[in-house]
Amino acid sequence: MIKKRIGLVADILMYAILVTQMLYVFVGNNVHEILGMAFFACMIVHVVIKGWWFKTQFRKGKAASRYFFDAVTLLLLLSIILLMVSSMGVSRFLFPGIRFLGSSDFHRFLATAVLTLGVLHGGMHGYFKAKKKRSAVILIALGCVAAASLGLFLVPYLNRHLRAVEISYAEKVTGERVDWNGKKPMVVYFTRVGNTDFEPDVDAVSGASLLIADGEMIGNDQLLAGMAGDILGVEPVAITLTGKKYPSSYNATVSVAGEELRAQARPAVEPIDVSDADAVILIYPLWWGSIPMPVATFLEAGDFDGKTIYLIATQGSSGYGNTVSEIEALCPGAKVVPGTSIYCEDIPDAREELLALIKGWNKQ
Ligand SMILES: Cc1cc2nc3c(=O)[nH]c(=O)nc-3n(C[C@H](O)[C@H](O)[C@H](O)COP(=O)(O)O)c2cc1C
């Protein structure tokens, strides 16, 4: 009886912790990592108490629903193990020494898988006991859709809209340099800051993809450009609108950017002379899975024939989206080399990744 109660408490805690973990934006990194340990402790309690389940695997003549349950449970177990390993890979607080993943994409994907499979697993326990099987199946399906949507849509949305991170610019940007063989590449970037009419209370409306460096607002891509510039010893160049800037509100910017993309607009930007460069490191955010249209203006205006364009994208979940093929189409004579696509939350700590990337390019 007591075993059953402990098991139930551990199970409830696991679901509660997992949902809290996904609301990372509210709890912050350190609490997230500590809660992660608590999750795995509960998981061990669960496995010890339900250890008999492993023995049932070799039983013959099980109903189809049992086979399905067992497959889901095995998959869940595997996902949790991978989640645990990946959590160390992205840890900054508890295991900073063994941080081996440059991006938290895999970890976040696994967390969604664990939550969805967890709902399916828990729901199936209910299914076996339920009298109305059809209703149980509908409830389980709805639960799974809600869990997957939380991880795939709500979490990235919250991260984009509510995140405001304070950093020290020099601490994040300066460090080891790369002695580039030959003419150094230009570092060109686009970011919202400098291209947006921000209101004074901007944090309230769009903490979103904004960073505060030493009290000054700074764009994600601007920070990355600062890092790349420091690594190479070059001054980054911003793609800057000459006309109307984007609105302060994040949502309004998203709408304007969507309209621009549909219209394939080419907002006017200050000219950037690339004629003297052999290579350009282009740092840009994903907007609607594409390059922001001012980046298209920059690419169309320059002559990139025979040059190499190294890509560093930033995003809130979409990898490179369509941007690689878009850039290739805009600069058919250039060699386009995708480098990395960094999740917005990982940007302040991306210097090591950029350093490794630039060292790799330098060897080619
Ligand atoms: C207008 C707009 C559209 C966006 N669209 C996407 C998108 O389609 N996929 C994605 O993963 N992130 C998207 N994002 C998130 C940004 O790519 C991400 O927050 C980026 O790091 C912002 O960089 P910045 O601070 O340099 O402007 C969008 C952001 C904005 C402002």
Side-chain angles (χ1 to χ4, degrees):
M1 190 65 182
I2 185 96
K3 228 174 154 186
K4 215 173 167 187
R5 274 197 193 150
I6 295 175
L8 186 67
V9 170
D11 289 358
I12 293 171
L13 273 177
M14 273 201 290
Y15 284 113
I17 293 175
L18 204 51
V19 172
T20 313
Q21 289 296 70
M22 306 210 48
L23 302 175
Y24 178 91
V25 67
F26 299 116
V27 295
N29 183 66
N30 296 0
V31 175
H32 179 86
E33 292 196 21
I34 292 164
L35 280 179
M37 299 305 285
F39 176 82
F40 292 116
C42 291
M43 174 64 198
I44 290 166
V45 172
H46 181 97
V47 169
V48 169
I49 290 179
K50 303 273 175 87
W52 51 264
W53 171 80
F54 291 96
K55 292 183 200 144
T56 67
Q57 292 315 290
F58 305 102
R59 224 181 260 162
K60 286 191 183 129
K62 290 187 282 190
S65 54
R66 275 284 161 194
Y67 278 112
F68 182 67
F69 174 80
D70 289 346
V72 167
T73 306
L74 273 177
L75 212 57
L76 177 60
L77 196 62
L78 182 71
S79 307
I80 291 180
I81 293 169
L82 287 175
L83 184 68
M84 186 166 70
V85 175
S86 69
S87 67
M88 292 183 201
V90 289
S91 168
R92 294 192 193 109
F93 176 57
L94 294 178
F95 309 98
I98 47 174
R99 191 182 155 89
F100 56 86
L101 288 174
S103 147
S104 59
D105 288 355
F106 183 55
H107 182 66
R108 283 181 296 111
F109 172 74
L110 280 170
T112 304
V114 166
L115 185 63
T116 311
L117 288 168
V119 169
L120 188 53
H121 171 88
M124 284 204 73
H125 275 300
Y127 171 85
F128 291 128
K129 288 183 196 146
K131 290 208 178 89
K132 293 183 179 167
K133 301 287 187 205
R134 245 189 100 188
S135 310
V137 169
I138 293 172
L139 274 179
I140 293 171
L142 287 176
C144 289
V145 170
S149 310
L150 176 76
L152 295 177
F153 305 114
L154 187 65
V155 171
Y157 177 89
L158 291 175
N159 277 338
R160 282 186 221 165
H161 283 70
L162 299 175
R163 199 172 56 91
V165 177
E166 301 208 7
I167 54 160
S168 146
Y169 186 82
E171 213 173 85
K172 295 296 180 189
V173 161
T174 47
E176 188 185 333
R177 296 196 156 186
V178 169
D179 195 8
W180 189 268
N181 304 319
K183 200 191 282 175
K184 290 178 186 178
M186 274 179 83
V187 174
V188 179
Y189 69 95
F190 178 80
T191 186
R192 276 181 80 204
V193 178
N195 289 309
T196 300
D197 273 327
F198 283 120
E199 287 160 15
D201 63 342
V202 60
D203 282 3
V205 285
S206 78
S209 56
L210 299 176
L211 300 167
I212 311 296
D214 313 312
E216 293 271 319
M217 200 187 328
I218 179 172
N220 281 328
D221 293 77
Q222 185 181 0
L223 183 66
L224 285 181
M227 293 175 190
D230 182 76
I231 291 168
L232 287 162
V234 301
E235 195 56 47
V237 184
I239 299 173
T240 310
L241 292 170
T242 52
K244 197 165 180 248
K245 295 189 189 255
Y246 291 101
S248 184
S249 144
Y250 186 85
N251 284 337
T253 302
V254 171
S255 314
V256 173
E259 281 159 26
E260 284 184 353
L261 179 66
R262 275 187 293 280
Q264 279 300 302
R266 294 292 182 264
V269 300
E270 277 171 18
I272 297 175
D273 184 7
V274 293
S275 58
D276 201 30
D278 294 336
V280 173
I281 297 180
L282 179 62
I283 305 179
Y284 59 92
L286 257 75
W287 280 13
W288 288 92
S290 289
I291 48 171
M293 290 301 101
V295 176
T297 312
F298 158 70
L299 290 171
E300 267 179 5
D303 177 4
F304 289 92
D305 279 3
K307 300 189 198 299
T308 304
I309 309 178
Y310 296 107
L311 307 185
I312 297 175
T314 72
Q315 34 82 21
S317 64
S318 312
Y320 285 106
N322 309 318
T323 61
V324 178
S325 54
E326 284 169 347
I327 294 168
E328 280 169 344
L330 287 166
C331 308
K335 183 179 167 198
V336 176
V337 181
T340 181
S341 174
I342 307 179
Y343 179 56
C344 44
E345 214 167 279
D346 295 326
I347 288 167
D349 295 297
R351 196 184 189 283
E352 283 300 307
E353 189 185 350
L354 291 197
L355 182 68
L357 197 60
I358 293 173
K359 277 184 181 169
W361 289 336
N362 197 27
K363 275 192 207 141
Q364 284 166 8

